[in-house]
Amino acid sequence: MDRQEDILCFHRAAACLPPRLRNLAEGLPEEVKARAEELRLRSGRPMTVLLPEGEAFPWREAVSGADLEALVNTVTEYSRYAAAESLRNGYLSARGGCRVGLCGTAVMKDGVCTGLRELSSAVIRVARERRGVGRAVVSELFRSGRFQNTLLLAPPGGGKTTLLRDLVRCLSEGEGCEPQRMTLLDERGEIAVVFRGRPQMDVGRRTDVLDACPKAVGIPMVLRTMNPQIIAVDEITAEEDLRAMASAANCGVGLLATIHGATVEEVRQKPLYAHLLAAKVFRRAVRILRQEDGSRRYETEDLPC
């Protein structure tokens, strides 16, 4: 992605803002826009911009509660009812591929969050697709023409979602491999960023997306209905996710998933993930390493059988 495309992606994110804040964001220097990762809003405090080196404070004007409400109206195109399910989970998917995270006062019923009121914070992620980052990796995920169940490893913010998205696209399009029927379970709307039923990010022509559905519920569902060759999921966080994936593997379906951890050894130290490795559902791991210049490289390794 070149510099001008990076700047255009920033302007798509800024378009989510109410006019007053949008004008502030669009007044940033071009070199800052090209590197910006997020715009962050906190009620009563100035808006900030997240850069690779940290959070910057280029403005003094305080964000108001009305600004946060206006942001939600803009992103939902004044149709909050249509976005009620994602709103209660604290995020919104925007046209163009941006994702908005929200904080406020949770409205609870029977121990379940049913919505947010009195919004206090928002974060707008600048959506940038890195097409091609998966090409160097995808061929290493096959043995004798068969996909090997694979984990993508990195610390938070290490690039797991970016690599997962492009690997799904590569596998779907047949870049570096035979084309695969992919089903993507995008539980938190971060990978395909579905808006009004259409993925805003390129996840490939042979990819079906199940959005906003827990993995433990969605995996059996797509096994019955979509006939996938490979199921891709975002971060594994619960025991029931492991059981659902083990069931899929026993049906002969390939699995591609992300997990928090810099190394396989680090993953082994966490009880849930140690159980995952002991189950031997996954055969390959890809470590995502951030280099000094901010770029990333990838190392693949076999997991014990």
Side-chain angles (χ1 to χ4, degrees):
M1 183 179 288
D2 62 24
R3 184 170 180 270
Q4 288 306 311
E5 182 64 23
D6 281 335
I7 293 171
L8 178 61
C9 290
F10 176 86
H11 282 286
R12 291 195 190 107
C16 297
L17 294 166
R20 179 178 71 87
L21 298 178
R22 186 185 313 150
N23 290 337
L24 293 177
E26 290 178 346
L28 284 171
E30 299 289 89
E31 60 268 22
V32 175
K33 295 177 184 176
R35 298 169 58 246
E37 297 176 354
E38 296 175 349
L39 290 164
R40 304 188 72 96
L41 289 71
R42 300 177 179 97
S43 183
R45 300 179 185 177
M47 180 170 65
T48 67
V49 57
L50 182 65
L51 303 171
E53 62 270 23
E55 202 167 346
F57 296 76
W59 305 289
R60 293 184 178 181
E61 297 88 341
V63 172
S64 68
D67 290 325
L68 292 166
E69 294 294 334
L71 181 149
V72 172
N73 288 335
T74 299
V75 173
T76 62
E77 299 180 353
Y78 292 87
S79 182
R80 290 196 182 205
Y81 177 79
E85 184 64 25
S86 62
L87 264 173
R88 77 179 183 87
N89 287 311
Y91 73 90
L92 291 170
S93 298
R95 192 184 297 277
C98 294
R99 187 175 184 273
V100 180
L102 298 165
C103 276
T105 301
V107 180
M108 304 298 293
K109 183 176 180 180
D110 298 327
V112 176
C113 178
T114 61
L116 292 173
R117 60 181 177 84
E118 297 174 358
L119 296 176
S120 58
S121 301
V123 54
I124 305 170
R125 292 188 182 178
V126 180
R128 294 190 175 102
E129 293 180 288
R130 301 296 183 187
R131 288 187 182 89
V133 297
R135 289 176 191 150
V137 176
V138 67
S139 61
E140 299 184 37
L141 308 185
F142 289 80
R143 289 287 182 271
S144 302
R146 183 176 178 81
F147 180 80
Q148 304 296 293
N149 294 345
T150 300
L151 288 172
L152 309 182
L153 307 179
K160 297 185 295 297
T161 299
T162 299
L163 180 58
L164 177 64
R165 181 188 298 122
D166 200 59
L167 282 174
V168 169
R169 185 192 64 81
C170 288
L171 290 162
S172 176
E173 295 291 345
E175 293 186 12
C177 63
E178 288 296 315
Q180 306 290 311
R181 290 188 309 279
M182 304 293 298
T183 297
L184 171 62
L185 271 68
D186 197 0
E187 183 172 353
R188 289 173 292 184
E190 294 181 297
I191 306 164
V193 193
V194 173
F195 182 83
R196 304 288 170 84
R198 178 175 295 183
Q200 301 296 292
M201 310 298 265
D202 184 2
V203 290
R205 293 174 294 174
R206 298 175 182 85
T207 301
D208 304 299
V209 181
L210 181 60
D211 183 56
C213 182
K215 290 177 279 292
V217 176
I219 289 174
M221 185 187 305
V222 300
L223 281 173
R224 291 192 300 268
T225 61
M226 301 310 297
N227 187 28
Q229 290 173 289
I230 301 173
I231 295 174
V233 304
D234 56 3
E235 293 163 10
I236 302 168
T237 58
E239 184 73 32
E240 54 265 29
D241 297 344
L242 304 184
R243 291 194 292 269
M245 285 186 285
S247 176
N250 288 335
C251 294
V253 176
L255 297 169
L256 177 63
T258 66
I259 197 169
H260 281 320
T263 66
V264 173
E265 188 55 40
E266 180 183 321
V267 169
R268 289 186 195 281
Q269 305 307 313
K270 303 174 183 179
L272 174 66
Y273 300 154
H275 178 71
L276 171 69
L277 295 178
K280 299 180 180 179
V281 171
F282 289 89
R283 300 302 188 190
R284 295 284 279 167
V286 179
R287 294 175 59 211
I288 304 171
L289 306 174
R290 190 160 193 163
Q291 304 186 105
E292 289 185 3
D293 63 358
S295 63
R296 295 183 175 99
R297 64 184 177 89
Y298 309 109
E299 292 184 356
T300 60
E301 60 181 287
D302 287 318
L303 293 172
C305 296

